[in-house]
Amino acid sequence: MSNRVKNSIKTMAIPVGVFLFFSILLASQGTTLFNTTNHYRTFVNAFVVTTFIAWALNFNLSTGRFDFSLGSISLLSSILGVKVMWLLEGQGWKMNGWYMLVVIALFGALFGMISGVVYILLKIPPIVTSLGITLIYEALGFIATEGGGVVLNRTLHLSKIGSMENQLIVLFIGFVMIYVLSNMTTFGFNWRTLVAGQKIAVDTGINEKKNAVLSYMFSGVFASVAGCFTMSIQGTASASLNFGTISTIFVAFLPLFIGGFIGRYSEDKFGIMVGSFTTALITLGFVRLNISAQMQSFWNAIILLMFLIYLNNEYKILSFFSKKNVASQE
């Protein structure tokens, strides 16, 4: 069996295993994982939104910068994007959801770049910087809507961007963009070098500050796309204060770790997407089993903990089973 086939099997083993697990469990209860169109919508939305959040978080997390502000960027960009659409439509312009997505992404790029510049100028730990930025962006969103958020009821045509087809199209576009950025540009080459070792990379002449600002900017773009789809599906974007947006990034942790594992056998950004696909399957499986939101959080934490335990002890576990196989053959 060729290495390509082996790597393909290893790449898809986790999502296929999760799908079979929930399919068998639900079949024992006389139902299936996908039973109605709404189940497909729930799955696709969870898959796409989680993927974009995970990609956004990965830009900085891989180089040691933990960015808590992604949720606030996602929310503020969505709020201002809708406000701009309303303003333009009030002037007689004919807008649709695709224009809204582009405007929201541009706001995401702006706010992400501002976060990066602040981090560079203040020269304090990125966690501290991102917490301060989060409070500022949350406050701006609250002020812009006077605490009421935005509702798409009067402009339902804008929310059509959240259809399953559009989300999958944007996911494909997003993957092409992040693949090209990571593998075919100077930014991507420098980013990967910094991931491998920042001191060595800087010593070889790579501008870490410029790369950091660009990472924050691209991160903001992907986070804002996730915010746009979340708002389109829910029909509203509620203003939030006191770190209420931080929970947005927590959904990305399991996909990132699964993606990092799968990335050994495929492209790492594709691995993150497969990890998000797996997480969406788990979410839908819990919903179909009528598990409460609190218990879903509990079991997601357990799954993440077990996966981390395996990753930290992978060599020992594999060595144990290899010795056991050798002993049985003797």
Side-chain angles (χ1 to χ4, degrees), residues 75-307:
L75 177 61
L76 180 59
S77 299
S78 299
I79 288 174
L80 295 183
V82 172
K83 289 251 177 209
V84 169
M85 291 298 100
W86 289 348
L87 178 63
L88 292 175
E89 288 188 339
Q91 299 298 319
W93 292 68
K94 292 184 178 180
M95 298 287 104
N96 60 41
W98 289 100
Y99 290 114
M100 182 177 71
L101 177 64
V102 171
V103 171
I104 288 174
L106 290 174
F107 274 122
L110 174 63
F111 295 132
M113 184 177 64
I114 291 173
S115 297
V117 171
V118 170
Y119 161 68
I120 294 299
L121 293 178
L122 294 184
K123 299 179 181 179
I124 58 179
I127 289 182
V128 178
T129 303
S130 67
L131 289 174
I133 290 292
T134 297
L135 289 175
I136 293 172
Y137 286 166
E138 287 180 347
L140 288 175
F142 194 89
I143 293 169
T145 63
E146 297 181 350
V150 292
V151 180
L152 296 182
N153 286 345
R154 63 174 176 149
T155 47
L156 289 176
H157 59 284
L158 296 178
S159 65
K160 291 181 180 179
I161 188 65
S163 69
M164 285 193 294
E165 296 80 6
N166 288 342
Q167 289 194 62
L168 292 174
I169 290 171
V170 175
L171 178 67
F172 175 76
I173 295 172
F175 176 70
V176 172
M177 287 178 59
I178 200 167
Y179 182 86
V180 171
L181 277 173
S182 301
N183 300 287
M184 300 180 183
T185 64
T186 302
F187 162 79
F189 172 79
N190 293 342
W191 179 81
R192 289 183 176 276
T193 306
L194 288 164
V195 170
Q198 292 193 23
K199 186 177 186 308
I200 296 175
V202 172
D203 288 343
T204 58
I206 291 177
N207 189 332
E208 191 270 339
K209 293 181 179 179
K210 177 181 178 182
N211 194 268
V213 173
L214 290 174
S215 294
Y216 275 99
M217 184 180 74
F218 293 133
S219 180
V221 170
F222 283 89
S224 65
V225 171
C228 177
F229 286 137
T230 299
M231 177 183 63
S232 298
I233 294 299
Q234 295 178 352
T236 181
S238 302
S240 181
L241 291 173
N242 301 321
F243 301 119
T245 58
I246 286 181
S247 61
T248 301
I249 65 174
F250 293 153
V251 298
F253 289 133
L254 184 57
L256 279 176
F257 287 116
I258 294 176
F261 177 78
I262 293 175
R264 306 173 187 178
Y265 314 109
S266 64
E267 205 278 333
D268 56 347
K269 299 301 183 295
F270 179 75
I272 291 174
M273 188 164 67
V274 174
S276 299
F277 184 90
T278 305
T279 303
L281 282 175
I282 294 172
T283 300
L284 180 61
F286 286 154
V287 170
R288 299 291 290 125
L289 290 169
N290 295 319
I291 296 176
S292 66
Q294 294 81 1
M295 289 304 297
Q296 286 184 40
S297 298
F298 171 77
W299 284 113
N300 281 329
I302 293 296
I303 293 170
L304 178 59
L305 180 61
M306 291 175 62
F307 196 76

Side-chain angles (χ1 to χ4, degrees), residues 261 264 304-322:
F261 177 78
R264 306 173 187 178
L304 178 59
L305 180 61
M306 291 175 62
F307 196 76
L308 290 176
I309 291 173
Y310 171 78
L311 290 179
N312 287 330
N313 297 277
E314 183 179 9
Y315 177 75
K316 295 179 182 178
I317 295 172
L318 294 178
S319 297
F320 172 78
F321 282 106
S322 62

